[in-house]
Amino acid sequence: MNKVILSVITGLLLLTHSAQSATQTELNRLAESLQVNYQLVDANPVNCPAPHEKQCYLSALTFTSSTDIDPQQWHIYFSQLMPVYKVDSKWFDIEHINGDLHRISAKQAFKDMPANTTFAVQFYSQESQITRSEFLPNFVLAAPGLDSKVIASTKTSVDNETQLELQPYLQPFTTDAQLQVSDDDETPWMGANYLYDSYTKPTFKTAPLGLIPSPIKLEQLSSSRIDLSKGINVVAKKSHYIALMPALERLAKLGVPQSKEGIVINVSQQLTSQLPDAYELTLRHNAITINANNTRGAFYALQSLAALISLDDLTLPELKVTDGARYEYRGMHIDVARNFRSKAFILNTIEQMAAYKLNKLHLHLADDEGWRLQIAGLPELTSVGANRCFDLTEQTCLLPQLGAGINANSGINGYFSRADYIEILQHAKKHFVEVIPSFDMPGHSRAAVVAMEARFNHFMALNKPALAKQYRLTEPEDTTAYSSIQHYKDNTLNVCLDTTYDFIDKILDEVITLHKEAGVPLNTYHIGADETAGAWLQSPSCIALQQKTKIHSFNGYFIERIAKLVADKGLNVAGWSDGLSDVNVNNMPSNVYSYAWATLSDEGHKVAHNHINNGWKVVVTSPDVTYFDFPYQSHPQERGNHWASRAIDSKKVFSFMPDNLPAHAQIWRSVKHQTYVADDSQSARTADAYGIQGHLWSELLRSDQQAEYMMYPRLFALAERAWHKAEWELDYKNEGAIYSHKTQQFTLAMQQQKEQDWQHFAALVGFKELAKLEQAGRFYRIPTVAAKKTDSGIDAFVPYPNIAVEYQDKLGNWHRYDSHNKPLQAVKVRAKSINNERAGRALKLTN
């Protein structure tokens, strides 16, 4: 039996005697009435206790009951992203169980908890945890023999005006001590005043002529207007017409339907161009012509036509667009493993990706917290591995993690059935999006490990040991103690067992079969291969294998063996760059995709360049700009992780120069908002990157709506950089160079050109694209307002034009802001959605 589970069960048994008087009614009542309050005291306390004295954070929990209770009768389980290692309390102990799961227990001498009396526990945790979204909800009240319940005061709610999540259990964050994680952390609190001093006002008063992503060339042919209100009449071969239908359907939703009375669109595929997906789109008052180098190019030409349209004006000038893609690979990574995303979310995301010419959906289907694809013959992967609930034996579900609570039917749980996955594949194919599946291995594999242990126990109970051991992923005799990056003690496949490779071979064959049934052949498989933390050291199988073959790296051995397995099935091999750095390059297949994710301020360019020089196709995935699970701004109320960047707004994504990674040292800062140096003098690359990919990891995203908030409008800027190379981007120096804030290679003229391009892009977002997102039902982020008190009154703006701003007076009433009649005083400022039905996050004004 798992050592962690045994420890938990033992702890519960110790309380059995004292808990015998507890009833289900009492537990239910206490779960409804107990008040829990969480406070981040200090993200950078003066004296961190050993062994984490270099960095820790100090928090406090308080408990108040409306009735007298015996604290010995109860346990409280809660998710804490960073493990608690030192507790300061006369009343409570806290034990780290596994992953982020912790247990709060009353000390043995704490026998009586009088009504309306508050009891506290302070504790130190490893590293840092500083955005409010990192303090997870749904504390679970449990007692032996009773059904556990979520404590009502730890549930989240939704703000009626913003529709954003509220955390009533979490005390306000008000000081820099709750924002900065070390003495050298210079992260700013991005309030209204900071934004005012840092951001630039929009310059466009009306929608400019243009589209997102930008084309290579757009020529206005005349001032005559083309009226599209009667629709369009596409003339093309039947097979081509069918392939263009998703784009035509989008145009119809925007008010330009397919109609015999509409303006004729002639489609041909005679264009010769070396650029991927190239096309020419010519709009004349009597006809529109599309000439492309393939069907995708024609599809994207229609998407460009949709991009040129404003919803309030279906007329366009006569013009010609010449275009083609910058990169072959233009991707978006969606993590459905940590917290599940619905099929509808995936289908909607595919449509938005296609609208902005993104063409690769990297679908992260398995991780520690969930296995999300039905696999024929292995029902435990989804019956156990797709759900988190409160079963500490883990025979029916996984341990609760990431604030999951106890409801196995909640939205964070679930999986794609075979039919669901086939539907996703076919929908993606229609939109010219390739699905790249990934089941992260050998680390990040706890869902698979637990599911296969449940399978083992099932067949052993049936006295079928051969079947039980067929796909077992761990070795009971392995006594290795390790902790993964997410603090799991048992999340890694044993890479020295043949059954591990039998399991992966089974998974691959079943996924290949699903793709064949969908009529969408599998081309590329992403094996994961990242963040494997010190496993296998005491594994008898690994010790024997090492003695036999002298393996240089067990992780490298695993990747090389799986890469061959994948390649032998006719597939391209893909993996994260850190794992691929462990391999012997000579042992790898010819077609390898490396996803380079080292942070730029930590010499991330070297990893990307080394892998390019290996002859691999490198997809740029730098987390300090492409990870959309990080906050838009460094403010506690902005959702997201914080380890690689404290602020990734759309302008930062827009400013990315993926062809010249080290050059960002001249214009950006590190995660602690410090300047840094990027030395590329010894690691110059020999070829270009293959593409770029955005990422939506889901640890802190418990709903589709939260996921959309993080993705939009940043996806626009990602598409811009993936499709179009701007004139202001700094050319890469193949001889190598050193960059810092002191170098002047990114000239003033280039900075001015970038700002002009940004203003044009921002105007297209504000006047056109946000309305289209709204029409499609997508929950985009409404920008926060930059504001400051000036001599002429409150000056306020948002980065995108055409968005209404409001200010709050001292009585709490909101008023529409008018820059021509500025208020003299204001307490808060906020923006509104395009349709004025939803408010953005409000910011306080300071003097």
Side-chain angles (χ1 to χ4, degrees):
M1 182 176 289
N2 184 291
K3 292 182 290 185
V4 175
I5 296 173
L6 184 61
S7 172
V8 172
I9 295 174
T10 302
L12 289 173
L13 290 175
L14 291 173
L15 292 185
T16 300
H17 177 73
S18 63
Q20 284 178 345
S21 60
T23 67
Q24 189 66 54
T25 299
E26 290 171 330
L27 186 147
N28 296 349
R29 186 184 302 122
L30 183 58
E32 286 298 317
S33 64
L34 184 65
Q35 291 300 307
V36 179
N37 279 287
Y38 199 133
Q39 180 185 13
L40 172 60
V41 179
D42 196 337
N44 181 30
V46 175
N47 294 309
C48 292
H52 301 283
E53 62 273 8
K54 290 184 179 180
Q55 186 175 18
C56 71
Y57 65 106
L58 177 63
S59 302
L61 281 164
T62 63
F63 304 93
T64 309
S65 172
S66 59
T67 60
D68 295 345
I69 62 172
D70 177 2
Q72 295 293 324
Q73 293 180 339
W74 320 105
H75 277 142
I76 294 175
Y77 292 83
F78 73 111
S79 288
Q80 174 78 15
L81 288 179
M82 297 297 167
V84 174
Y85 72 95
K86 177 73 165 60
V87 178
D88 182 10
S89 174
K90 295 187 293 186
W91 299 290
F92 299 104
D93 289 317
I94 301 178
E95 178 187 0
H96 175 227
I97 303 299
N98 204 359
D100 66 38
L101 186 64
H102 289 70
R103 180 177 63 199
I104 302 172
S105 305
K107 289 182 179 289
Q108 192 170 2
F110 185 27
K111 304 290 187 182
D112 183 32
M113 192 170 171
N116 303 315
T117 304
T118 298
F119 295 86
V121 52
Q122 278 200 340
F123 53 90
Y124 293 88
S125 300
Q126 297 176 25
E127 301 176 22
S128 61
Q129 187 173 309
I130 48 180
T131 66
R132 290 181 66 84
S133 60
E134 292 176 302
F135 294 78
L136 297 166
N138 297 324
F139 288 40
V140 177
L141 187 67
L146 303 179
D147 293 335
S148 55
K149 298 291 181 182
V150 172
I151 298 172
S153 64
T154 66
K155 295 180 181 180
T156 60
S157 58
V158 175
D159 181 85
N160 289 332
E161 293 188 308
T162 66
Q163 297 179 36
L164 299 177
E165 183 180 74
L166 298 174
Q167 297 165 283
Y169 56 89
L170 186 58
Q171 295 298 300
F173 288 22
T174 58
T175 68
D176 285 342
Q178 296 167 304
L179 183 77
Q180 296 174 338
V181 301
S182 62
D183 293 339
D184 61 346
D185 189 350
E186 300 173 8
T187 300
W189 188 293
M190 292 186 174
N193 285 45
Y194 177 88
L195 298 180
Y196 186 89
D197 293 336
S198 304
Y199 282 21
T200 53
K201 291 184 178 180
T203 57
F204 283 83
K205 305 301 181 184
T206 59
L209 181 62
L211 62 144
I212 297 174
S214 298
I216 294 173
K217 188 177 182 180
L218 189 153
E219 305 170 78
Q220 186 167 336
L221 302 176
S222 76
S223 59
S224 299
R225 305 294 295 184
I226 303 170
D227 186 359
L228 299 177
S229 61
K230 293 183 179 180
I232 53 177
N233 184 5
V234 173
V235 178
K237 294 180 180 179
K238 183 177 181 180
S239 60
H240 295 165
Y241 183 85
I242 293 172
L244 299 176
M245 276 303 299
L248 296 175
E249 290 169 358
R250 180 168 185 251
L251 280 162
K253 291 176 182 177
L254 298 178
V256 184
Q258 175 77 350
S259 169
K260 291 183 179 179
E261 291 75 34
I263 188 169
V264 172
I265 298 183
N266 292 297
V267 180
S268 64
Q269 295 184 28
Q270 300 175 358
L271 183 68
T272 57
S273 173
Q274 298 301 313
L275 292 174
D277 307 330
Y279 67 89
E280 290 179 349
L281 170 67
T282 305
L283 282 72
R284 294 286 191 180
H285 70 278
N286 57 346
I288 297 173
T289 60
I290 292 172
N291 191 13
N293 63 356
N294 55 34
T295 307
R296 289 192 307 275
F299 177 85
Y300 291 140
L302 288 173
Q303 296 288 16
S304 291
L305 180 60
L308 288 164
I309 294 170
S310 296
L311 294 185
D312 56 353
D313 183 3
L314 298 179
T315 68
L316 291 171
E318 293 189 324
L319 55 85
K320 180 178 181 179
V321 175
T322 304
D323 207 2
R326 174 185 194 169
Y327 292 123
E328 173 64 34
Y329 190 112
R330 308 179 300 277
M332 189 69 207
H333 168 281
I334 305 292
D335 171 14
V336 301
R338 269 63 176 273
N339 284 311
F340 188 55
R341 297 279 77 86
S342 70
K343 180 178 68 175
F345 173 88
I346 299 299
L347 299 179
N348 290 333
T349 299
I350 288 169
E351 293 172 8
Q352 293 302 322
M353 289 175 62
Y356 299 96
K357 304 182 177 74
L358 298 174
N359 67 344
K360 308 290 183 181
L361 174 59
H362 179 178
L363 202 54
H364 189 77
L365 290 162
D367 212 294
D368 295 321
E369 295 82 12
W371 183 283
R372 307 301 183 184
L373 180 61
Q374 182 183 28
I375 299 295
L378 297 177
E380 295 84 2
L381 284 172
T382 47
S383 64
V384 175
N387 298 294
R388 303 199 295 273
C389 67
F390 200 75
D391 173 9
L392 298 177
T393 68
E394 297 193 286
Q395 294 306 293
T396 59
C397 64
L398 303 176
L399 289 174
Q401 299 284 329
L402 301 173
I406 60 175
N407 182 7
N409 297 317
S410 69
I412 59 97
N413 291 320
Y415 63 92
F416 298 129
S417 68
R418 291 170 56 86
D420 290 335
Y421 188 67
I422 288 172
E423 182 180 350
I424 288 169
L425 292 177
Q426 293 174 339
H427 196 68
K429 181 182 179 181
K430 290 177 182 178
H431 289 81
F432 295 95
V433 172
E434 178 189 358
V435 175
I436 300 173
S438 175
F439 304 89
D440 211 346
M441 301 174 186
H444 288 278
S445 295
R446 192 170 189 277
V449 169
V450 172
M452 292 300 95
E453 283 301 289
R455 181 182 187 276
F456 172 83
N457 293 335
H458 169 73
F459 282 112
M460 287 301 289
L462 297 176
N463 196 26
K464 296 181 178 180
L467 278 175
K469 297 174 183 178
Q470 184 181 13
Y471 298 122
R472 200 176 191 188
L473 303 174
T474 57
E475 187 176 30
E477 297 79 15
D478 182 1
T479 59
T480 307
Y482 65 92
S483 179
S484 75
I485 193 70
Q486 277 83 28
H487 315 291
Y488 289 102
K489 307 169 186 178
D490 52 358
N491 79 328
T492 306
L493 312 181
N494 190 313
V495 302
C496 304
L497 299 176
D498 288 338
T499 52
T500 291
Y501 300 95
D502 293 339
F503 171 77
I504 297 172
D505 189 52
K506 165 73 172 174
I507 299 300
L508 273 172
D509 284 346
E510 292 299 333
V511 173
I512 290 170
T513 297
L514 283 170
H515 278 252
K516 287 181 179 178
E517 290 181 13
V520 186
L522 180 61
N523 296 319
T524 303
Y525 176 73
H526 196 290
I527 63 178
D530 66 321
E531 297 181 332
T532 303
W536 321 304
L537 297 179
Q538 303 301 319
S539 161
S541 295
C542 288
I543 292 172
L545 187 62
Q546 175 70 13
Q547 291 172 346
K548 180 180 179 182
T549 61
K550 304 299 181 185
I551 293 171
H552 67 284
S553 161
F554 282 116
N555 194 42
Y557 166 81
F558 170 85
I559 296 169
E560 291 169 14
R561 187 166 170 178
I562 294 302
K564 184 179 185 306
L565 178 66
V566 171
D568 286 348
K569 294 180 185 294
L571 308 177
N572 298 319
V573 176
W576 299 110
S577 56
D578 57 332
L580 290 174
S581 296
D582 288 341
V583 306
N584 183 330
V585 177
N586 295 327
N587 293 338
M588 294 295 288
S590 56
N591 290 325
V592 175
Y593 291 67
S594 173
Y595 292 65
W597 70 278
T599 54
L600 297 180
S601 59
D602 193 27
E603 300 188 325
H605 67 281
K606 293 184 178 180
V607 175
H609 294 177
N610 289 340
H611 287 200
I612 287 174
N613 294 343
N614 286 342
W616 297 341
K617 293 179 178 178
V618 167
V619 179
V620 175
T621 59
S622 307
D624 18 14
V625 64
T626 71
Y627 276 31
F628 294 170
D629 55 307
F630 287 90
Y632 283 88
Q633 295 162 347
S634 57
H635 190 286
Q637 289 182 321
E638 284 291 345
R639 179 171 297 279
N641 265 308
H642 71 275
W643 56 265
S645 180
R646 304 293 293 277
I648 303 177
D649 62 9
S650 294
K651 190 171 186 180
K652 184 176 184 180
V653 182
F654 178 88
S655 302
F656 192 34
M657 300 178 287
D659 285 344
N660 195 341
L661 299 181
H664 295 90
Q666 187 170 311
I667 61 173
W668 289 351
R669 290 174 176 259
S670 72
V671 66
K672 293 184 179 180
H673 205 69
Q674 298 172 332
T675 60
Y676 68 95
V677 176
D679 186 347
D680 190 40
S681 59
Q682 302 298 318
S683 59
R685 67 168 197 253
T686 57
D688 295 333
Y690 187 60
I692 182 176
Q693 176 172 277
H695 303 78
L696 197 66
W697 298 99
S698 69
E699 291 100 319
L700 304 180
L701 307 178
R702 292 183 300 281
S703 71
D704 291 352
Q705 185 169 285
Q706 289 174 355
E708 289 185 344
Y709 178 93
M710 302 302 281
M711 189 158 52
Y712 306 115
R714 289 188 282 203
L715 181 133
F716 297 152
L718 171 72
E720 179 74 10
R721 289 286 72 84
W723 181 269
H724 176 75
K725 183 173 183 178
E727 292 182 6
W728 48 261
E729 291 189 53
L730 195 59
D731 289 335
Y732 182 73
K733 295 186 176 182
N734 293 94
E735 69 273 16
I738 298 176
Y739 299 88
S740 74
H741 274 242
K742 295 180 180 180
T743 57
Q744 302 297 318
Q745 298 180 58
F746 195 71
T747 65
L748 179 61
M750 297 169 74
Q751 296 174 43
Q752 292 172 341
Q753 181 62 52
K754 186 184 77 170
E755 181 60 28
Q756 291 175 15
D757 282 3
W758 163 255
Q759 290 290 350
H760 186 268
F761 174 88
L764 291 173
V765 171
F767 283 108
K768 292 185 177 182
E769 301 312 313
L770 291 181
K772 293 171 187 175
L773 280 182
E774 211 159 71
Q775 185 198 60
R778 308 283 66 82
F779 190 83
Y780 61 90
R781 178 184 182 267
I782 301 169
T784 47
V785 178
K788 195 172 188 177
K789 186 174 183 180
T790 68
D791 293 340
S792 61
I794 303 299
D795 195 23
F797 65 90
V798 291
Y800 309 118
N802 197 40
I803 293 179
V805 173
E806 293 184 337
Y807 69 94
Q808 187 186 54
D809 62 26
K810 292 182 179 180
L811 298 177
N813 299 313
W814 288 97
H815 308 275
R816 181 61 57 92
Y817 176 81
D818 182 355
S819 60
H820 300 293
N821 187 22
K822 298 176 181 178
L824 297 178
Q825 299 288 336
V827 177
K828 294 180 180 180
V829 287
R830 70 183 185 186
K832 297 296 289 289
S833 61
I834 295 295
N835 63 8
N836 285 310
E837 294 181 358
R838 178 166 60 95
R841 186 169 60 80
L843 293 177
K844 292 181 179 180
L845 276 177
T846 57
N847 294 326

